């Protein structure tokens, strides 16, 4: 099911443990579907696609816990509707190529508003700063020899204005 710009995915069923208490008494709380925007190379250009992911929401039945949780996905930030690949592309377009938020929004076919582009940009910058091991090679090259100076300049530019 789907077309060139929309893909449907169902992850392999697993038997999760509660992230809070580690208990294995789990009940299915219902099926969920979440849409993520992603960017993929297509011909000589790139295309923005939608990935519809279907997964289970679970509830821990251990006494005193009752935690409701979702599976964690490594391709996107928590509560995000965009993949890391798209977020990295947004950061690269703004930092390397000098595009504005509205230019990036237009290039993404208005699937993200310019306000959301700014929030995605700022969130991904914070994630990259907090975890230097996960920084892509192109991002480390941008930092150059003085990462502290780089971050001072970027933080001044990246403050979202709402």
């Amino acid at each position: 099911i789907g077309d060139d710009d929309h893909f449907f995915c169902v992850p392999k069923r697993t038997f999760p443990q509660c992230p809070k208490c580690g208990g294995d008494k789990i009940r299915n709380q219902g099926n969920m579907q979440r849409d993520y925007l992603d960017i993929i190379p297509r011909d000589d250009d790139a295309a923005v696609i939608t990935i519809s992911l279907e997964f289970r929401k679970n509830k821990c039945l251990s006494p005193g816990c009752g935690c409701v949780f979702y599976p964690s996905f490594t391709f996107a930030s928590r509560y995000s509707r965009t993949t890391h690949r798209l977020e990295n592309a947004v950061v690269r377009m703004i930092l390397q190529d000098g595009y504005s938020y509205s230019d990036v929004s237009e290039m993404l076919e208005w699937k993200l508003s310019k306000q959301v582009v700014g929030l995605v940009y700022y969130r991904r910058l914070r994630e990259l700063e907090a975890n230097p091991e996960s920084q892509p090679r192109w991002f480390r090259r941008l930092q150059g020899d003085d990462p502290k100076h780089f971050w001072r300049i970027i933080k001044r530019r990246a403050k979202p204005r709402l």
Side-chain angles (χ1 to χ4, degrees):
I1 304 175
D3 56 29
D4 290 344
D5 297 326
H6 203 118
F7 298 91
F8 294 93
C9 304
V10 179
K12 188 174 150 183
R13 185 161 182 212
T14 59
F15 298 98
Q17 289 186 328
C18 176
K20 188 174 176 184
C21 72
D24 58 354
K25 290 184 176 180
I26 305 295
R27 184 180 79 207
N28 180 10
Q29 193 80 354
N31 290 334
M32 302 287 294
Q33 182 175 339
R34 182 165 288 165
D35 293 339
Y36 294 94
L37 287 177
D38 193 11
I39 191 165
I40 60 169
R42 187 177 285 167
D43 301 328
D44 294 335
D45 203 9
V48 178
I49 62 165
T50 303
I51 300 172
S52 293
L53 188 63
E54 199 172 285
F55 55 92
R56 292 173 184 252
K57 180 170 73 168
N58 299 300
K59 180 174 183 172
C60 180
L61 299 176
S62 298
C65 185
C67 173
V68 176
F69 62 95
Y70 307 95
S72 60
F73 302 111
T74 57
F75 63 86
S77 302
R78 195 172 182 166
Y79 306 116
S80 177
R81 299 287 194 244
T82 56
T83 63
H84 289 312
R85 184 170 35 201
L86 178 63
E87 292 172 356
N88 285 339
V90 166
V91 170
R92 193 177 313 135
M93 284 187 264
I94 293 170
L95 290 182
Q96 275 185 333
D97 304 330
Y99 290 114
S100 67
Y101 295 168
S102 59
D103 292 339
V104 173
S105 182
E106 186 178 339
M107 289 193 304
L108 296 176
E109 302 164 358
W110 302 105
K111 291 187 178 182
L112 295 176
S113 68
K114 62 182 178 181
Q115 290 84 5
V116 173
V117 167
L119 293 173
V120 164
Y121 171 70
Y122 190 60
R123 180 185 63 227
R124 189 64 181 148
L125 277 180
R126 284 191 316 230
E127 289 174 357
L128 290 170
E129 181 185 21
N131 192 2
E133 294 85 36
S134 72
Q135 293 175 353
R137 192 176 318 127
W138 63 266
F139 191 77
R140 287 193 299 268
R141 276 196 311 266
L142 273 178
Q143 287 183 32
D145 297 331
D146 190 6
K148 288 182 182 177
H149 179 68
F150 171 81
W151 284 111
R152 271 194 306 263
I153 292 170
I154 293 305
K155 282 182 179 175
R156 245 182 277 136
R157 268 183 72 190
K159 293 272 188 213
R161 294 181 210 125
L162 300 175

